[in-house]
Amino acid sequence: MDPTRTDATRTAKRIVIMVSRNSPDWQSAWEATEALVVMALRLLQEKQLIPRNVQDLTADIRVMAKERWGLRTFIVFDMFHYTYNPDTAHLPGQDDLPVISVYVGKSASASMAGTPTKNKVNSDIRAIHNATGPGSRPPFVVDHADGKVPFYSNPRSSKAV
């Protein structure tokens, strides 16, 4: 894919998939993340939030993180983000992308995320980059389930982003 392409449908986007514990996809969200990404792509195409050609799209996707809590699993991936730089992605103001949210419960829905969700998702991805330290690369895996507290042995800074 040509990163200089100016097609408006191929502008950088960040997608957050929120999987509820009530979803039949709860287990696979953690164990087979790629299947949830493909399911989200199909839904986003149906809702006309992304271009229709899945074969083209899969090459333009980068899974950034998956994070598990007691009631939700979150999967975040970027599309068409040709300027992504993991060495600077932890810095304030870096990679503030528009966000599309996909909710997967007993049914699935998708929509453009509002400003609070957009800000939270972008900030959380920067914080994970910061916590995982220099040289770290996505996809990042963060597990809070069952009272687990993630430990980061080499954070970039002790200051929260």
Side-chain angles (χ1 to χ4, degrees), residues 52-115:
R52 291 230 171 242
N53 187 345
V54 160
Q55 289 180 334
D56 246 0
L57 296 178
T58 55
D60 295 317
I61 290 172
R62 176 182 293 108
V63 175
M64 300 301 291
K66 67 178 175 179
E67 188 168 10
R68 179 167 61 175
W69 293 84
L71 298 176
R72 297 265 187 280
T73 295
F74 298 89
I75 301 166
V76 178
F77 65 94
D78 288 358
M79 294 182 66
F80 313 123
H81 192 182
Y82 307 117
T83 60
Y84 169 74
N85 180 345
D87 296 323
T88 60
H90 67 288
L91 298 172
Q94 289 293 308
D95 300 322
D96 281 328
L97 300 179
V99 173
I100 300 172
S101 59
V102 175
Y103 177 77
V104 181
K106 291 182 181 176
S107 62
S109 63
S111 63
M112 289 302 298
T115 301

Side-chain angles (χ1 to χ4, degrees):
M1 182 73 209
D2 178 6
T4 61
R5 187 172 174 167
T6 58
D7 182 346
T9 62
R10 293 188 182 269
T11 57
K13 299 166 184 50
R14 183 160 280 159
I15 292 87
V16 58
I17 307 170
M18 299 168 276
V19 184
S20 165
R21 193 177 214 29
N22 297 328
S23 169
D25 296 306
W26 169 254
Q27 198 70 25
S28 61
W30 191 250
E31 296 172 359
T33 303
E34 299 78 21
L36 266 289
V37 169
V38 169
M39 184 275 304
L41 288 171
R42 288 186 183 129
L43 178 63
L44 294 172
Q45 287 178 321
E46 286 174 20
K47 300 290 184 182
Q48 299 180 353
L49 294 168
I50 61 168
R52 291 230 171 242
N53 187 345
V54 160
Q55 289 180 334
D56 246 0
L57 296 178
T58 55
D60 295 317
I61 290 172
R62 176 182 293 108
V63 175
M64 300 301 291
K66 67 178 175 179
E67 188 168 10
R68 179 167 61 175
W69 293 84
L71 298 176
R72 297 265 187 280
T73 295
F74 298 89
I75 301 166
V76 178
F77 65 94
D78 288 358
M79 294 182 66
F80 313 123
H81 192 182
Y82 307 117
T83 60
Y84 169 74
N85 180 345
D87 296 323
T88 60
H90 67 288
L91 298 172
Q94 289 293 308
D95 300 322
D96 281 328
L97 300 179
V99 173
I100 300 172
S101 59
V102 175
Y103 177 77
V104 181
K106 291 182 181 176
S107 62
S109 63
S111 63
M112 289 302 298
T115 301
T117 300
K118 173 187 160 260
N119 291 343
K120 175 81 170 124
V121 170
N122 285 317
S123 174
D124 285 355
I125 292 297
R126 275 194 301 279
I128 292 171
H129 271 88
N130 191 57
T132 55
S136 62
R137 301 291 184 261
F140 302 111
V141 177
V142 183
D143 191 356
H144 301 271
D146 303 321
K148 291 180 186 140
V149 177
F151 174 76
Y152 303 101
S153 61
N154 189 27
R156 294 175 199 267
S157 71
S158 58
K159 182 178 136 187
V161 177

